[in-house]
Amino acid sequence: MKIHKEGRRILFFTLLALLAVNLLLFRYNADNDGFNKVFGGISVIMFLILLQFFRSPARRLFTHEDLIIAPADGKVVVIENVQEPEYFDDMRKQISIFMSPINVHITRNPISGIVRYFKYHPGNYLVAWHPKSSTKNERTTVVVESEAGPLVLFRQIAGAMARRIVWYVNEGDEVNQGEEFGFIKFGSRVDIFVPLDTEVKVQIGEKVKGGQTVIAQLKTPPPSLF
């Protein structure tokens, strides 16, 4: 198990702070040994919880040009046809994955292709399952022209706990399915918007793994014989 690069700085300074406080307590509060031990135990638990936020497990990635792979670990909370106003301005099929604080927070490209649009939106920090979080919260929007042809939009959305979104893509980049395109610190939500004729392969409430679970299949024309 590796620690993701986005967490190394936070973990280092948190460890230093906890060690400093505990050393000060054991030196200047030696008469209250019981309290010191309890605080020491709480410090270990706090650090372990923070550590698991930034874990980066090894993954055997699943790739296929017309399949949409889960961009994050979590639970499917939305499957519906909606109006997508930012880029397409028409009806699209939306699939949303909620990432809890105990999920891996890496976000991965659901499809291979070329980034045709990217935009970062500062915003609020509503709880990630709030219907307006998709348009009101801090978020990024990425549109990829897939190798199979159709355009796929996916969006990182910050939640009540997630206060920073990190991304590694820009317009014009070539991206590969399953590779990291960003990180949402302390969990949140990822929305995917695909054409209406896309066949969804998951159900509401299903748990998925980023880079491994097939969540949908794009409808593509059969190859021509001539």
Side-chain angles (χ1 to χ4, degrees):
M1 181 74 67
K2 296 191 300 182
I3 301 302
H4 196 273
K5 61 183 180 181
E6 299 297 341
R8 292 169 191 164
R9 184 181 178 89
I10 293 173
L11 290 167
F12 176 74
F13 285 108
T14 300
L15 181 61
L16 285 184
L18 290 173
L19 284 174
V21 172
N22 278 276
L23 288 173
L24 287 171
L25 284 175
F26 277 93
R27 180 165 183 175
Y28 297 106
N29 193 37
D31 293 338
N32 198 348
D33 186 60
F35 174 83
N36 293 346
K37 289 180 179 178
V38 170
F39 188 86
I42 292 173
S43 298
V44 171
I45 293 171
M46 286 175 58
F47 186 76
L48 290 176
I49 291 173
L50 190 63
L51 188 66
Q52 67 89 30
F53 285 157
F54 294 103
R55 69 194 188 277
S56 179
R59 289 280 166 89
R60 179 175 292 180
L61 303 177
F62 183 84
T63 61
H64 195 281
E65 66 176 14
D66 65 353
L67 297 179
I68 306 293
I69 308 301
D73 290 17
K75 183 169 69 173
V76 178
V77 293
V78 173
I79 301 174
E80 61 182 1
N81 295 340
V82 299
Q83 180 77 12
E84 197 294 305
E86 180 178 349
Y87 183 83
F88 296 113
D89 196 25
D90 64 10
M91 295 297 292
R92 294 278 149 166
K93 192 179 295 292
Q94 176 183 340
I95 306 168
S96 297
I97 297 168
F98 173 71
M99 305 162 64
S100 79
I102 63 171
N103 287 128
V104 174
H105 307 316
I106 297 165
T107 50
R108 301 177 181 274
N109 297 303
I111 200 82
S112 294
I114 305 295
V115 178
R116 297 304 184 193
Y117 174 83
F118 173 85
K119 189 170 183 179
Y120 167 74
H121 303 267
N124 300 322
Y125 297 97
L126 302 172
V127 291
W129 56 83
H130 194 287
K132 292 186 177 180
S133 66
S134 184
T135 56
K136 299 294 185 182
N137 280 15
E138 179 191 6
R139 63 200 182 278
T140 64
T141 301
V142 183
V143 177
V144 170
E145 182 180 356
S146 67
E147 291 181 347
L151 294 169
V152 176
L153 184 153
F154 43 100
R155 185 175 286 139
Q156 296 170 299
I157 303 169
M161 289 184 63
R163 298 286 170 163
R164 178 127 189 262
I165 291 175
V166 181
W167 62 91
Y168 312 131
V169 297
N170 293 289
E171 283 187 26
D173 288 353
E174 183 176 353
V175 296
N176 295 314
Q177 194 172 45
E179 290 185 356
E180 296 181 23
F181 81 86
F183 195 96
I184 309 178
K185 295 185 178 180
F186 305 111
S188 190
R189 170 173 155 174
V190 180
D191 290 348
I192 306 98
F193 295 84
V194 292
L196 292 177
D197 59 2
T198 301
E199 183 181 355
V200 177
K201 300 291 189 179
V202 290
Q203 298 178 342
I204 295 288
E206 186 173 339
K207 293 182 179 179
V208 297
K209 282 194 172 184
Q212 292 185 329
T213 306
V214 176
I215 61 172
Q217 183 170 14
L218 296 169
K219 186 175 181 179
T220 55
S224 172
L225 298 178
F226 305 98

